[in-house]
Amino acid sequence: MTWFLIAFIVVIPPAWAVLAYNRLITLRVEVKNAWHQIDVQLKRRHDLIPNLVTVVKGYMDFEQETLEKVVKARTKALSASSFHEKAVSEIGLSQAVSGLLAVIENYPTLKANENVLRLQEELTTTENRIAFARQFYNDLVANFRTKIEVFPDNIIASVFHFRPAEYFSADAEDRALPKADMSARPK
Amino acid sequence: MPLTFIEIEKQKSWRIGVLLLALICLYFLAAIFLLLGLSVIFPFLFLYSVTNPLNLAAIFAFSLIAGGMHFWFAASGAVQRVIRQLDAAPPDPEDSLHMQLINITKELHIATGNTRKMSCMVIPSLSMNALAVDDLNGEAVIAVTEGLLSKLSRAQMEAVMAHEAYHILSGDCMETTVAASFFGMYASALEKLRNIDEEKYRGYHPAFLLFWVLVRLSQMLNMLISREREYRADAASIRMTRNPLAMAEVLYILSRGWTGVGLISSGIEMLCIVNPEPGELDESEGWWSNLMATHPPISKRIKTLLMIAHMNKSALKVRPEVNTGTGDMSPTGEVSSFACPSCKESLFVMSYEKTTVHQCYSCGGIMVENNKIPRILARREVPCTDRIRSLAKAVLTDNQRNLTVRRLRSASIKLSHPLKCPKCRNTMFRKFYSLAYLLEIDRCNVCGITWFDKDELEMLQCLIENKITASIALPGLEEEA
């Protein structure tokens, strides 16, 4: 009985520690992978925007401001270095693109143009993909953060220095802006 | 309910396990009933009681094997079976609406974390419905009818696809696919037996009893297909699209359109977003309906979604922009590689009803690939001109008279100069589009194209849109009577 107890004490805690550690590593890799998925979609958007701007420029003489906003937001997003900067600038770009897509709706000549329609669909799907990738990433981050903070997994997390991943979202002050609602995706 | 698609996927395996267990139990019960029945009819054949432990073990072993085999056969090739049955085809990337569907499917993969490969298909039907099928081969398909695709906006289509994706990820599809195959297989076997019986056995076939018991038991499997799963799928759709109103609008549109009665057979109706032929059970509430029906009442689903959206029913009356065509034919600037079969001039690629057709500028004839015809017909929403309407009616009456005369004389159509197919140069067949819509068209059966003379395509659209059909009776005789 004593030997059994000793074996129990010697085997169970290390086995649990290995399992908990592996689980945390898996979650961290999943979070990283989800972030790369967002990155792929962001790159797709950065490549698409110049095409759209070139096509719609001639038709939208009175909407230069909207176009400039998009171009500026894209430049800002491209130059962002830190994770936080990137998150904030990309959300700004999303809003600018949503504005542009809404404006296109008001131009019947633009809507009749096959090229514009194709680009509009491409941009709409890219915006959706970014939103969904972001949602999926944030779900995984929530899972990871919960795992790090709950007992007894938090012991392993602190021993091996697992840091909570950041959510892909705007700051509180950004959210206070009137257009910060990401749910208003283009239809 | 789990909040994320990651958690939904995790729940799948145990639910499929429960289904397998239910199948084994059903076979066990069927075998017991059958043996009990036979022991009453032929007592001398059964020396030992059915309740003998050894016999019970043997019956259990049989049900284990039968249940396992059934599950495997039902769930392994289900997708291909259903796709063949509905004549569904992959979307055409050159068609803007189909491209939208492809894009939405890609978005779904991202929203669900690429945990499951899902592909989309289009059913060439003017009805409005969508369904999801899944099987053990790892294939999962969301199929949408051409009619639904043309009537919904992008946001609404996203809602439908997210709803169906939930069914695939949660294992609902696997459950329904197996349950549908169970019912469909035995019901058709029973139907075949009935036909044989009348001729040879006069109603007494040994397998008749077994299949009758199995059909009755398979109906009980409906109890496992909870109608709650539709509410859960609606909720998952909202979580993805953040747009409860879009889902409510979809259900509202579906509740007022043709959802495929007659097209979608009774075996697969439980796979659809709404039951194509809702019975009294589907539209009522109470413990018995909850137990037996596969779909909840549409009105309750709409009410729940509107409540989440903080809106009332009047919001549904405002129809958002839909994907119907403008009815205008505009040139794409491309010259087609085919020549007009009638006047031999080059054809031009034209954009029409969000797809492309080939038109002859000289005679006004149009060449359309057969798979594009249902799309064009489904996307028509602009009222046709008075000229086309009166022309269509006149042609229809004329053809009706010709057909009746021809039938009475048992003659066939004889053309002095049959047209040659612009693609393969084979002779095209001149035939009616259908017996309901008596418009003569030229069709090449080798390469699957149809030639419409000037105004014929618009006339066909007008006849279908306004449901103007030919009556089979002789107009002359009707007047006399």
Side-chain angles (χ1 to χ4, degrees), chain A residues 106-121:
Chain A
N106 300 331
Y107 285 78
T109 42
L110 264 180
K111 281 190 77 186
N113 185 316
E114 278 289 320
N115 281 338
V116 176
L117 281 180
R118 207 172 302 128
L119 274 170
Q120 191 187 6
E121 167 60 24

Side-chain angles (χ1 to χ4, degrees), chain A residues 105 111, chain B residues 151-154 156 319-323 354:
Chain A
E105 292 292 315
K111 281 190 77 186
Chain B
K151 295 285 183 297
L152 300 189
S153 67
R154 197 185 203 284
Q156 291 166 344
R319 279 199 69 184
E321 192 195 343
V322 289
N323 288 316
K354 303 217 169 198

Side-chain angles (χ1 to χ4, degrees), chain B residues 191-204:
Chain B
E191 201 55 43
K192 273 182 193 152
L193 275 177
R194 273 192 187 134
N195 294 339
I196 298 167
D197 283 343
E198 281 170 21
E199 295 157 15
K200 287 185 185 172
Y201 296 92
R202 289 171 184 269
Y204 302 101

